[in-house]
Structure formats: structure tokens, C-alpha cells
Amino acid sequence: MAVFTRSAFLGLALVLSALAGTANAQLSPNFYSTSCPKLAGIVRSGMASAVQKEKRMGASILRLFFHDCFVNGCDGSILLDDSSTITGEKNAGPNANSARGFEVIDAIKTQVEASCKATVSCADILALAARDGVNLLGGPTWNVPLGRKDSRTASQSAANSNLPGPGSSLATLISMFGNKNLSPQDMTALSGAHTIGRSQCQFFRNRIYTETNINASFATLRQGTCPRSGGDSNLAPFDVRTADGFDNAYYQNLVEQRGLLHSDQELFNGGSQDALVRQYSNTPSRFSADFATAMVKMGNLLPTSGTQEIRLNCRKPN
């Protein structure tokens, strides 16, 4: 993969914008090696502090990255606050009252700006932070291609239509990931992000009270904190085994019909992904490798239009 200096990249910006469909050619893990050599250490330190305070934050930042990339590419659009000119993505259905961790990105951005002003995009900071959050919780690490720019706008409508919901069928999941050039294997591997994090009762209530492909004791356990009515925001861990450890237990849960969301259990319910789920449940190294590969692939999703910049404040355009 070619490595572009920052000046060369800026000089090629107009050409690359015309080649947006293959724009990942501009990304390189070494993009900031001379312009911001301390970047990786700053992001790692910021995430280590955040995860030490609250382990769940690793999952929250990972989710922000996923929700960013699936809406017009990995461009930091999810970080934008609403304003008189922007209807942001934070209040879209999949994000309202659930997307979190923005202040962690703000804090890291402040440190990055102090080290190398107006150089590193918020989109790249989020990509690095997601990787570090996974690794700090025991998951794999990988080289993050860098060189993204930040969008100057956001799309609440795209966030509402492009992000798969907790009630999604396997066919819907395969289709929605396929729309982003992510294979069924990529989808199943990326779903393993649910080996960490929490979900609100309102998103799994129907599964634990009405579905039959669920372990009875697991359903009873989850019903203990998720009543039939009320308690919509009560939290439960996705992974009943190791709630804050990034491992392959998510897939072991699915094999035992202990998937928390309907969309989780769809991956192991007599369909096309059953065999892969079994492989991941038995071979953690295979899951880790496939997850890292799929994260890089998802991270290569870039905007195909629109003006971009290096935002100085992740919450608003310059």
C-alpha cells in the first residue's frame, strides 16, 4: 500500500475525491508518522484512562465507530452536535439515549491538538480509540489505516435507515452489511463486538418473554431486571459469561441459545452462519483474526461526496 505524506495527500485531495469509491487507497497506518508521531500513544493513554474508570466505555467507543462508519462512511459525523444548520445523528433512533463516550473522544482530541494542532481528524481518533478499547479489554489489536477527514455535516435520516436494529433477521443483517461491501463472515465477526457492552431492556424484552429459541434459565435471569412493562432503560450485559472481557464467549452463548438480542440469536438459529458461529465458539484465535480483518475493512468505508476537513472541535464544523 502506498504511503502518502500529509502534503502529498493534500495535493492529491481533488483527484482522490473523484475516486471516492476506492478512496481507501489514501489510508495508511503511517499517515501521521511524521506530522503527529505521538498520536498512537496519546489515544492509547486516553482510552486506558477511560476504560479504567468504566470498562463499559470500551464497548461504547467501539459502537460509536460502527455507527459512524455505517452512515456515509467513517467521517466523524456521529460526533457532531445538533445546531441551527445541522440535524445530527446523535438523536437518530439507533443513537438517542444510547450512544455515549463523546466526552472521551473530546478529551483525547484536546490532547492530540496540544501535540499537533489541526493535523489529526476526529474520524481517525475514533478509529484508533475503538481499536484500543477492544485491546484493553483483552481483545486483538491491529494496524489502523489512517488519513480520514471529517465531514462538515451529518445525516439523521441515514442513521435511521442504515443501522441494523435489535430485531433484525439474519437476512436483513446480511443485506445491510452487504450494502457496505461487508460479507456475511464480516457481519458475523463484527457482531462479536457484543462480547462486551450492555443493552437496554426495551431492546431485548420481546426476546426474553416471547421467543422460544432461548435458554429458559437465561430468560429467567434477564427477566429479573427487565420487567414486562417499565424499566425500559435497565441494562444487561450482552455476554452473560464475561461481560467486560473481549473474547469468544459471545459465540458460546449463541450456541447455548443465550443471545441477548433477537439479532444476536439469528446468527445461530438453523441458518447460514451456524457453522461459522460454532467455529468462533471453539477457536478464539479465528474469531480474533476475522474480527480484526473486518474492522479494518469497515474502517475503509469513506464518504463518496461532501466537503471534508480536519475538525478542531469534534462536535462542530470549523
Side-chain angles (χ1 to χ4, degrees):
M1 180 181 290
V3 177
F4 293 101
T5 64
R6 180 166 169 75
S7 58
F9 170 75
L10 292 172
L12 289 171
L14 291 175
V15 176
L16 289 170
S17 67
L19 299 173
T22 56
N24 60 6
Q26 72 186 272
L27 301 184
S28 163
N30 303 315
F31 189 80
Y32 299 107
S33 59
T34 57
S35 61
C36 196
K38 296 180 181 178
L39 173 62
I42 293 170
V43 176
R44 179 79 178 191
S45 176
M47 282 303 296
S49 175
V51 170
Q52 185 176 28
K53 289 177 184 173
E54 183 193 18
K55 287 187 176 181
R56 181 187 172 202
M57 192 54 70
S60 298
I61 297 298
L62 178 57
R63 185 170 185 256
L64 282 186
F65 182 59
F66 167 50
H67 283 210
D68 184 34
C69 293
F70 258 58
V71 182
N72 299 327
C74 313
D75 60 358
S77 58
I78 195 172
L79 305 174
L80 289 170
D81 285 340
D82 285 0
S83 70
S84 59
T85 56
I86 295 174
T87 301
E89 296 163 21
K90 291 182 178 180
N91 289 311
N95 297 325
N97 301 311
S98 64
R100 61 196 298 274
F102 300 105
E103 71 286 349
V104 172
I105 301 301
D106 291 339
I108 294 172
K109 174 66 168 174
T110 298
Q111 294 297 314
V112 171
E113 286 295 308
S115 181
C116 29
K117 188 170 180 60
T119 302
V120 181
S121 67
C122 298
D124 277 343
I125 290 172
L126 182 56
L128 286 167
R131 186 272 310 271
D132 288 343
V134 167
N135 185 238
L136 286 161
L137 292 175
T141 190
W142 56 91
N143 290 324
V144 178
L146 300 167
R148 300 168 189 80
K149 284 193 169 185
D150 298 318
S151 66
R152 290 183 50 78
T153 189
S155 177
Q156 188 173 110
S157 60
N160 281 323
S161 61
N162 289 3
L163 292 164
S168 297
S169 67
L170 178 60
T172 295
L173 292 169
I174 290 173
S175 174
M176 294 186 80
F177 278 75
N179 290 341
K180 306 298 179 184
N181 293 318
L182 294 166
S183 69
Q185 175 178 297
D186 295 328
M187 181 276 293
T188 298
L190 289 170
S191 295
H194 283 180
T195 187
I196 53 175
R198 307 290 187 273
S199 180
Q200 297 180 26
C201 166
Q202 60 181 318
F203 301 126
F204 60 85
R205 176 183 285 119
N206 187 67
R207 170 151 170 75
I208 63 175
Y209 284 104
T210 68
E211 296 187 6
T212 56
N213 62 336
I214 187 168
N215 176 281
S217 63
F218 175 69
T220 300
L221 174 68
R222 292 282 75 97
Q223 288 168 8
T225 54
C226 181
R228 286 184 181 272
S229 62
D232 282 2
S233 61
N234 292 357
L235 297 174
F238 281 111
D239 179 357
V240 71
R241 280 181 162 84
T242 52
D244 295 307
F246 198 99
D247 52 29
N248 68 327
Y250 168 79
Y251 300 99
Q252 296 170 355
N253 295 332
L254 296 185
V255 171
E256 296 176 357
Q257 296 189 319
R258 296 173 189 261
L260 185 62
L261 304 181
H262 176 86
S263 56
D264 289 324
Q265 197 60 55
E266 279 288 284
L267 301 183
F268 190 84
N269 193 37
S272 63
Q273 300 306 293
D274 281 21
L276 185 58
V277 168
R278 281 197 186 277
Q279 285 186 41
Y280 288 162
S281 74
N282 292 321
T283 314
S285 60
R286 167 83 193 273
F287 162 56
S288 291
D290 286 359
F291 181 82
T293 297
M295 283 292 289
V296 171
K297 194 171 173 183
M298 183 175 73
N300 284 339
L301 294 170
L302 297 176
T304 56
S305 63
T307 307
Q308 294 180 287
E309 64 186 11
I310 303 297
R311 247 180 256 152
L312 300 179
N313 178 338
C314 292
R315 292 176 180 265
K316 62 182 183 180
N318 295 339

